[in-house]
Amino acid sequence: MDIRDKKHFSPAVLINNFRIAVNGFQKLVEETALQKKGERAGLFFPKEDVIDYNKFYSSVQELFGSEVKTQDVKCFYRKLCNNPDASIDWCEIFGYFSEDDALASHMDEENLVFLVSRKQRIIISGSRRRDVIKCIVKVPQLDLLITASQKGLITIFNSQMRVQTSTSVTDTSWITGCDYLSQLKRIVATTERTIIVWDYKAQGNSQENYYVIKPVDHCLLCVCVASLPDQLCRDDILLGDDGGFVNRFTINSDDFGLKQAKTKKKLQTQVLDSKNFKSVKRKLHNDWVMKIRYIPSLNCFGSCSLDSVHSLVLESLKRLEDNLPVREFAMPRGANTFCYCVKANVLVTGGDDKVLRLWHPNISTKPVGKLVGHMFSITEMVTNEKEQHLISLSSAKVFRVWDIQTLSLLQVFHDSQGGPGDMQIYSMIYDTNHGMLIAGSSVIDMYPLTKMIQDTKQVPHTHDREINVILYNTYFAQVLTICSESIIKVWELETGLQIYQILDPHGFSIEVTSAAVDESGYFFATGAYNGTVKIWDFGSGQEMKALPEGKDWKEEEHWLKRLIFLKTQEKRQYLILALELSGTIKMIQGREDDVFLVVIWELPDPMPHLHDGNHIIHLKTLSKNRNMDIPFPDVELVVQRKFSQHTKNPAINTEVSCMDLLQREGYNLIVTGALNGIIILWNFVASTVKEVYRPEGCFNVDPDLDPKRFKINDILFLFRTPECARKSSQDSICSSSQCESSKGPQSSKGSKQSIHDGDLKGEKTNVEREQLLVDKNQPGSANLTQAQPPILVTAHEDGHLRLWTMEGKLLKDMLPFTKHSAISLTSLYADSCSRVLLAGNVEGHVILCSISSFLEPPHDEKKFRQLLSWRAHSLEIVQVIYVEDKQVVLTASVDGSIRLWHALNGHYCGYFGQRRFFELSQTSDFILPCDVTEAPIEIKEESKLADKRKKYEYPLIFDRERWRKMSSMSLLFKRTPPKPFEVEQDFKFFKALSSPKIHRHALEGFMTENREAGIVFGSLPIYRVTSPTSLRFLPLIGSEAQKESSDGKKKGIHVQHEKGGRKRSLKKNLVPQINLASSFFPAMPK
C-alpha cells in the first residue's frame, strides 16, 4: 500500500507512518547525542552541520507535525544536551516526563485565569429584602457599570465601583433587563409590562423622574440596544417576550424633550403611549425569548429561546419588517444564553442539555465544536476577547473557563458563599477595562484576573536580596540571576519558570559578585568577593572547576567585579578575563587535565607612567608566554626610566572601575575606565597601551567637589561586523514593519511606528542602496566588506553618555532625557549588530537609543537619537539586557526583582518569580508594576518641514497693558493748554501697538450639537475664551484745563504757580469728559 494514500485513514497506515516517524526521531537523537559528545571532546563541527535547538525543533515538527509542544521539545533538547549518554525514551517528546517536572510544580491556584481568593463583594445598599441583581451592563466608553435589581433599583457605579447615582422604579411588576442608550445618553429598563427610560444625568429632584412606555402586548423578558453608526439622536431597542416575538422600538430625543417642555408639574413618572413610537415585531420562536443581543461586527441581532427547533436566530434588523426566511440554529431543549467571539468568529450556545456548542455564523446545520463538563443547566456565558477565553456559568454557581482556540478547560471554580436563597446568579459580564469577571446575585461578586493582581498589586520579587548579576544564555534562551545572598537561579525566558537553583555556590555566606557565560552557552563562571572562581555546567548546574582562595589573600582584596570568557583555539581549555575591585586585570586558565583553575598573568598598572606625560606605551611579550596559544599573552610595559617617580595621592582614585573586551575581526582589545575618568586602551595586536581620554583636573584634589564626579560606571565597545552591515534594517528594533502603536497614558499622541520611521528615513535608503550593490556584484565592494573601526561608549557618574573614537575624539556627548536630568548611569548594553543601545540609571530609568545610522561614517551627531525612556524600577538598576529575537528588555535592580519589558514601547510584561506564565506577544494593554507610576516617554524627532512653514505677518493691535505703563500725564503740564478736542502729538497710542498674541494650542469645545441653533450652526462646536477686560475711557485732554484757566483769568489767579490748585487740577483732568476711545477702537459688548 502506498503510504501517501491517507484519504481512507486506515489504522494500519497510521501505525506504519508513526513507526517511520519514531525511527527517524531515534536517528535524530543519535546524531544529536553524538555531536554533543564530540563538542565536549573538543571536536570542531562546521556551522551548517551543527544541530542547534532551532534545527532540532524543525526536524521534530517534520516528523510528528503540530502534535508536539514547544515546551516539551525544549525540555527534551535540554536533557539531551546536559547528558548525551542518558537513556531517552521517544514518549518524552510528547510531554511524558517524570513527576518532578518544572511545569507540575507551578500549576497551582496562582497560575489560574481568575484569582478566586482575591474576590471582592459589593452589597447593594438600599435594596429591598430578598432582592437580586437581574441585569448588569458595562459601558466601556464611559467606564460605567449599570445594575438593575429585580424589585426596581437601578444603580450606576463609576470606575472605582462607587455608587454614582441610583433610582428606584415604583412598579408593580419586576424588572427583567436593562441597557444603555448610547445616542440619547439614557438608561432603558424593561419590566414585565412596561418600558422605562431614565435620564441618569438629571440633577436634583428631577433625578427621580423617568418615563414609562406602555402598554405592551406580551410579558417582556429581555432587552438590548442596537447601536447603529448612521443614527443620530435616535436609538433602536430590541425586546424579547414570552410569546416568541422580537420587537423593535425606535426612540427619538424629541419623544422626551417635547413631553418635558409641555409638562409644567414635576411628576415622578411620566407615562407615554407605546402607540406613538415606531415599532415592528415578528414571531421568531415558539417559546420564551431568553436572551437577545445585537452584534455590531456581524451587523445583525441574535435571539435564543427554549424552542428546540428555533433555538437561535441570527439575522439582520431588516428581517423584522418582512416574512422572509431567517437563519436558525436548532439544538435539543433550546438555548438559555449565547455569546459571540469576534476574533475566533464563533457563536457559543448553552442551555438545559449542559453542552456548550460552537457554531460558525454562516453554518447553522452542524456545530463546529462541543464543550462538555457542566453538570447542571448553563444559564450565562461571556467571552474575554483578548485572552480568547470563554467563561460559562451553570445554575449551581459553577464557573468554567475555556480556551476557545484549543477547546481546553483552563479553570473550574465554585461560588460556595451565600445561603440557599442566594444560589441563583442571574447575570454575568466580563469587564475588559479592569480585567474582572462580575457576577450578580443578591450581591455583586468580582473575580479579578490573576495577572491583573500580580501586575498591579503585588511587588515584583525575584530574590530576597539585591541583584548582583544577571546573564542571558542565547543558546538555551534562559536567564541566570545571582543575588547578594549567593543564590543562583536559572529561569526560562518564554514562560518565566524557574529551572533550578544553587545555594551557596562558593561556600557558606560567601557572596557571589560576578558571572559570565561562554559563547557556546554550555558553561558559566562565577566569581566571589574572596577572589575564588568556579566554572559550572549551564544545563545541569554541576560544578566543573574552581580557583581556590590563596593563603596570603586578604579579605576583599581580590573582590571580582567582572568576568569575561575569551575565545580560545584549543577546545579543551577555558580562558577567563577577570577584573578585581582593586583594579587588577588578570587571566585565569583552566585545562581539561588540570584539577584547578590557575592565574597565568596580570596586566601591569600603566597609570603612573601615563601620569608622567606618556600617552602611548609599548608592550613587550614575555618569553614564557610566546609559545602559548592565547589571544592575550603576558606583557610588560616598555618605558623610559628618565621620568620621575610620582608618589600616589591616596585621595585620588585611579583604580579601574569597568572594562570591556573586543575579540573579533582581527581585533584584540581591552578597554578600561577608571574612577578618575581616564580611559585606557590595550591593543595586543599593535602591542601598545594608550590613554584615550583624560578629563581636565582628574588628578587634582578639591574638597568642595564630589570625588566621584569623573567616575566611569560602565564602558562598551560598539562594533559592527561586515555581515551585520549587510543585514536589512527590518531585522532591527527600529523596523517599521514590526513597530506597533503605543498607547500609554503619557506617550501616545502618535504611533510608535512614526518614531522609528523618522529614524529610518536616511537609514533605509542606505541599506537599500547597499543591497543593490550586493545583488549586482556578488563579491561586494570594499566599503561593504571592510569593517569600520570600533567606537567606545561610556556611562558616567554625572549622567552623561559619551561616544569616542579609538583615537580619543569625542563624537557625541548626550544627556539622556528622563523625568529628572543628570542622573548617574550604571549599565550599558548593545545588541550584536550595534543598532540599539540601552542604558540604566540610579533612579531606575531605562534609556533606549538608536545608533544604527550613527555608526556609519562620518558619524553624524544628529543620527544618534534617543527613542524611548521609561521607569522600570523605583531603585537603582544594576544591569540591563536586550534580547533581540524576542524584542524584550531585562532589567535587574537592587530591589531584588528581575523585570521584563517590551522594547518597542516600554510596556510591562512581568517579573521572574511570578506564578503565571509570561506573555511576550505584543499587546495594547498598558500595565505598570505597583511601585512605578510614570508612563513611558517617547522622544519624537522634530519634523523637517517645521522650518519650511509659511510665516504670516499680522497687523498691529492695541496693547492695553503696554499703554497703561506709558502715562500720558505729561500732556497736562503744558504751559499753553490745548484747545478742546485737540490731541497732542506725543500721545502714546502708537507706541502702545504690538503684535497679536497667537494661541499656540487649539481651544477645546465644551458643547456640541446645539439643537436650538439649527442644523448648520448647531453642529459647530462652541468654545469658551477668556473675556477681555472692559475698555476704559481715555482721559479728556483740554476741556477741564480750558475751564480752569478761564476761571483763573477772571479771578486774577495764576493756576500754574499755585501748588494746591495744581493738585486739584490734576485730579479733575483725570476725570473723562469726552470719550475718544470710539475714535480708535470699535465698540465691544460686555
Side-chain angles (χ1 to χ4, degrees), residues 87-206:
S87 60
I88 295 177
D89 194 357
W90 60 267
C91 63
E92 296 182 5
I93 200 67
F94 294 96
Y96 294 96
F97 290 94
S98 58
E99 296 181 356
D100 57 347
D101 189 22
L103 288 174
S105 62
H106 287 269
M107 291 301 297
D108 53 4
E109 184 193 10
E110 302 296 329
N111 201 32
L112 297 176
V113 181
F114 292 99
L115 197 58
V116 183
S117 60
R118 301 297 291 269
K119 179 184 72 172
Q120 302 177 16
R121 172 163 289 187
I122 296 178
I123 300 176
I124 305 299
S125 60
S127 62
R128 302 173 185 176
R129 191 168 181 262
R130 292 294 181 184
D131 200 2
V132 293
I133 303 297
K134 193 67 177 178
C135 184
I136 301 177
V137 177
K138 179 67 180 182
V139 187
Q141 59 270 23
L142 301 178
D143 204 1
L144 298 178
L145 187 73
I146 304 172
T147 62
S149 68
Q150 193 175 48
K151 296 185 178 180
L153 180 63
I154 303 176
T155 310
I156 298 178
F157 295 88
N158 58 12
S159 58
Q160 285 79 30
M161 289 304 294
R162 296 177 180 176
V163 178
Q164 181 171 320
T165 182
S166 64
T167 187
S168 181
V169 178
T170 57
D171 200 307
T172 56
S173 54
W174 287 351
I175 284 184
T176 57
C178 69
D179 207 344
Y180 179 74
L181 300 173
S182 58
Q183 294 294 332
L184 302 183
K185 305 295 187 295
R186 301 189 181 189
I187 294 174
V188 58
T190 57
T191 65
E192 296 175 350
R193 293 294 178 182
T194 59
I195 303 173
I196 298 171
V197 179
W198 174 44
D199 185 6
Y200 69 97
K201 294 189 294 184
Q203 302 294 329
N205 296 329
S206 60

Side-chain angles (χ1 to χ4, degrees), residues 485-606:
E485 202 176 12
S486 297
I487 299 178
I488 300 176
K489 294 183 180 182
V490 178
W491 314 81
E492 192 78 31
L493 177 64
E494 293 184 356
T495 59
L497 296 177
Q498 180 180 333
I499 301 175
Y500 65 85
Q501 70 177 11
I502 304 174
L503 301 177
D504 297 325
H506 286 250
F508 180 72
S509 71
I510 298 178
E511 181 179 358
V512 179
T513 57
S514 59
V517 62
D518 71 330
E519 189 178 14
S520 66
Y522 292 119
F523 312 104
F524 72 95
T526 57
Y529 83 98
N530 60 353
T532 58
V533 178
K534 290 187 178 183
I535 296 180
W536 309 78
D537 182 84
F538 200 99
S540 61
Q542 296 179 356
E543 180 182 341
M544 301 181 65
K545 292 183 182 297
L547 174 67
E549 184 179 0
K551 296 181 179 180
D552 300 333
W553 288 1
K554 298 180 181 179
E555 187 177 1
E556 299 185 2
E557 180 184 8
H558 298 276
W559 183 305
L560 294 175
K561 293 183 62 178
R562 180 77 187 274
L563 297 178
I564 302 176
F565 269 98
L566 302 178
K567 296 180 181 179
T568 60
Q569 300 297 331
E570 299 181 13
K571 293 295 183 179
R572 299 183 180 182
Q573 71 170 349
Y574 313 104
L575 291 178
I576 301 174
L577 198 66
L579 171 64
E580 296 181 350
L581 183 64
S582 60
T584 304
I585 299 176
K586 60 185 179 182
M587 181 179 289
I588 302 171
Q589 184 184 40
R591 295 178 179 271
E592 189 176 8
D593 300 334
D594 297 338
V595 180
F596 299 103
L597 300 174
V598 293
V599 178
I600 58 176
W601 59 254
E602 293 183 2
L603 278 183
D605 185 11

Side-chain angles (χ1 to χ4, degrees), residues 92 370 677 775 827 914 1007 1086:
E92 296 182 5
K370 293 182 181 180
D775 293 339
S827 176
Q914 67 183 22
M1007 186 184 301
K1086 294 184 179 180

Side-chain angles (χ1 to χ4, degrees), residues 462-471 479-491 502 504-506 510-516 524-528 536 563 878-879 892-893 896 898:
T462 307
H463 287 267
D464 294 334
R465 297 289 187 267
E466 62 182 35
I467 306 297
N468 286 346
V469 184
I470 175 175
L471 298 175
V479 180
L480 183 142
T481 60
I482 305 175
C483 67
S484 60
E485 202 176 12
S486 297
I487 299 178
I488 300 176
K489 294 183 180 182
V490 178
W491 314 81
I502 304 174
D504 297 325
H506 286 250
I510 298 178
E511 181 179 358
V512 179
T513 57
S514 59
F524 72 95
T526 57
W536 309 78
L563 297 178
V878 177
Q879 202 168 350
S893 173
I898 311 290

Side-chain angles (χ1 to χ4, degrees), residues 189-235:
T190 57
T191 65
E192 296 175 350
R193 293 294 178 182
T194 59
I195 303 173
I196 298 171
V197 179
W198 174 44
D199 185 6
Y200 69 97
K201 294 189 294 184
Q203 302 294 329
N205 296 329
S206 60
Q207 193 177 32
E208 299 292 333
N209 296 349
Y210 52 86
Y211 298 91
V212 179
I213 303 174
K214 63 180 183 180
V216 292
D217 296 335
H218 295 83
C219 178
L220 302 179
L221 300 178
C222 52
V223 61
C224 77
V225 176
S227 301
L228 301 178
D230 56 345
Q231 291 185 353
L232 293 176
C233 303
R234 186 182 70 178
D235 280 301

Side-chain angles (χ1 to χ4, degrees), residues 108-121 389 399 401 410-414 417 430 434-437 445-458 911 915-916:
D108 53 4
E109 184 193 10
E110 302 296 329
N111 201 32
L112 297 176
V113 181
F114 292 99
L115 197 58
V116 183
S117 60
R118 301 297 291 269
K119 179 184 72 172
Q120 302 177 16
R121 172 163 289 187
H389 291 166
F399 298 84
V401 185
L410 302 178
Q411 183 182 3
V412 180
F413 59 96
H414 174 246
Q417 297 183 4
Y430 177 76
H434 302 90
M436 192 171 295
L437 181 68
D445 291 327
M446 298 182 294
Y447 301 91
L449 283 176
T450 304
K451 70 170 189 175
M452 297 298 295
I453 294 294
Q454 292 181 348
D455 289 344
T456 60
K457 296 182 180 181
Q458 292 184 359
Y911 65 95
R915 300 191 180 183
R916 66 175 179 87

